[in-house]
Amino acid sequence: MKIDVITLFPEMIEGGLGSSLIHRAEEAGLVQIRPRNFRQFAVNKHGHVDDYPYGGGAGMLLRVEPLVKAIEEAKADARGSKSLTILMDPAGEKFDQAMAIDFSTYDQLIFVCGHYEGYDERIKPYVDKEVSIGDVVLTGGELPAMVMIDATVRLLDDVLGNADSTVDESHMGGLLEYPQYTRPKEFRGEKVPDVLLSGHHENIAKWRHQQSLLKTAKKRPDLLASYPLTEEDLAFLADHAIYLADQAHSKD
């Protein structure tokens, strides 16, 4: 996969993604991350890429010409590939695990990182998707882009080294991940649940599923609204006086 990041601060991308699994994935040739400084397409010799907004208002807007030229250059370098151009925008669609999975199916991703007060609206026809990491405004799009890149790259084949590593993670199957334990068996009076030491794989799988249900019901009950709960799941949650009472309360 080729990932282009259109930014005024390529050093942020290089420093932020130049270590850990992402760096190893680059070294292994699984992904190529290319920061592109769109200041090279500045509109004058002073390197200006922004200007005052028509109609007045605070701050400066990024001009459309440098951004579009940078996008076009990135696309030209991967012509014929399955490509997606993503605009970092606090008003965009909220990023989630399903979107990361979708991103991981592309040959090329182009992230466009804004700065200052925002973009000239005429950038929109040149992007495929406008995305946000949540209801928060940051100084630039580099940090959200890095979050999305990390979430996406780790899904690529061979990046984690174990194809099963992502299967049971939070949000992958609609539930939060179950609690996990390692050595020692006991720490300050807190013991590892006996079922995990039993070696009985069916019971372990059942316990993990039920713990995922409990964790999701307590921390993210909204996720259960779209999860296909079975009669057994509902009975289990009812036994713990969780979720059903919350659902009844929400209808009052």
Side-chain angles (χ1 to χ4, degrees):
M1 173 184 279
K2 291 181 172 60
I3 298 178
D4 294 277
V5 185
I6 296 172
T7 172
L8 288 176
F9 302 98
E11 64 275 9
M12 285 186 67
I13 306 301
E14 293 164 353
L17 297 175
S19 60
S20 191
L21 285 172
I22 306 300
H23 180 61
R24 292 206 295 270
E26 281 198 272
E27 289 185 327
L30 301 174
V31 64
Q32 182 181 6
I33 299 174
R34 306 179 292 192
R36 294 176 178 269
N37 192 337
F38 62 91
R39 197 177 293 280
Q40 65 179 302
F41 299 111
V43 297
N44 57 37
K45 63 181 181 180
H46 301 295
H48 291 164
V49 293
D50 61 332
D51 214 327
Y52 295 102
Y54 282 123
M60 305 284 281
L61 289 179
L62 290 173
R63 294 179 60 128
V64 65
E65 312 101 303
L67 289 169
V68 168
K69 288 179 180 178
I71 292 170
E72 291 175 340
E73 181 186 71
K75 287 183 176 180
D77 281 354
R79 187 173 287 112
S81 299
K82 184 183 178 184
S83 179
L84 186 73
T85 302
I86 306 144
L87 184 70
M88 302 294 96
D89 190 335
E93 183 180 351
K94 190 173 181 180
F95 183 71
D96 59 15
Q97 189 66 19
M99 197 179 294
I101 293 170
D102 178 59
F103 285 0
S104 71
T105 66
Y106 285 83
D107 302 315
Q108 181 195 33
L109 298 175
I110 303 172
F111 291 90
V112 183
C113 301
H115 219 70
Y116 308 121
E117 189 63 24
Y119 311 92
D120 185 305
E121 187 70 13
R122 291 169 291 183
I123 183 67
K124 301 298 177 66
Y126 298 90
V127 303
D128 302 306
K129 203 173 188 69
E130 300 164 39
V131 185
S132 164
I133 60 167
D135 298 333
V136 61
V137 179
L138 304 175
T139 55
E142 288 78 15
L143 290 175
M146 286 190 281
V147 167
M148 296 179 199
I149 290 168
D150 186 280
T152 300
V153 170
R154 67 190 303 279
L155 296 173
L156 300 178
D157 291 343
D158 300 322
V159 169
L160 294 183
N162 185 338
D164 294 329
S165 295
T166 62
V167 172
D168 293 322
E169 291 180 327
S170 292
H171 305 294
M172 286 298 291
L175 299 174
L176 300 182
E177 188 177 10
Y178 47 79
Q180 299 208 64
Y181 300 84
T182 186
R183 292 181 178 86
K185 293 181 181 179
E186 183 175 347
F187 177 71
R188 295 181 179 177
E190 293 291 330
K191 297 181 179 180
V192 174
D194 290 338
V195 65
L196 298 179
L197 306 175
S198 68
H200 195 299
H201 298 298
E202 185 176 341
N203 287 348
I204 290 172
K206 181 178 180 179
W207 179 88
R208 285 176 168 171
H209 176 68
Q210 290 177 338
Q211 292 301 308
S212 286
L213 286 171
L214 285 177
K215 187 175 180 180
T216 306
K218 291 176 180 178
K219 296 188 175 184
R220 289 292 305 277
D222 56 297
L223 295 177
L224 291 182
S226 57
Y227 184 79
L229 293 168
T230 65
E231 291 297 324
E232 185 177 359
D233 292 339
L234 290 170
F236 173 77
L237 291 171
D239 286 343
H240 288 76
I242 291 175
Y243 182 62
L244 295 181
D246 181 69
Q247 290 293 98
H249 177 73
S250 67
K251 293 177 181 177
D252 291 342

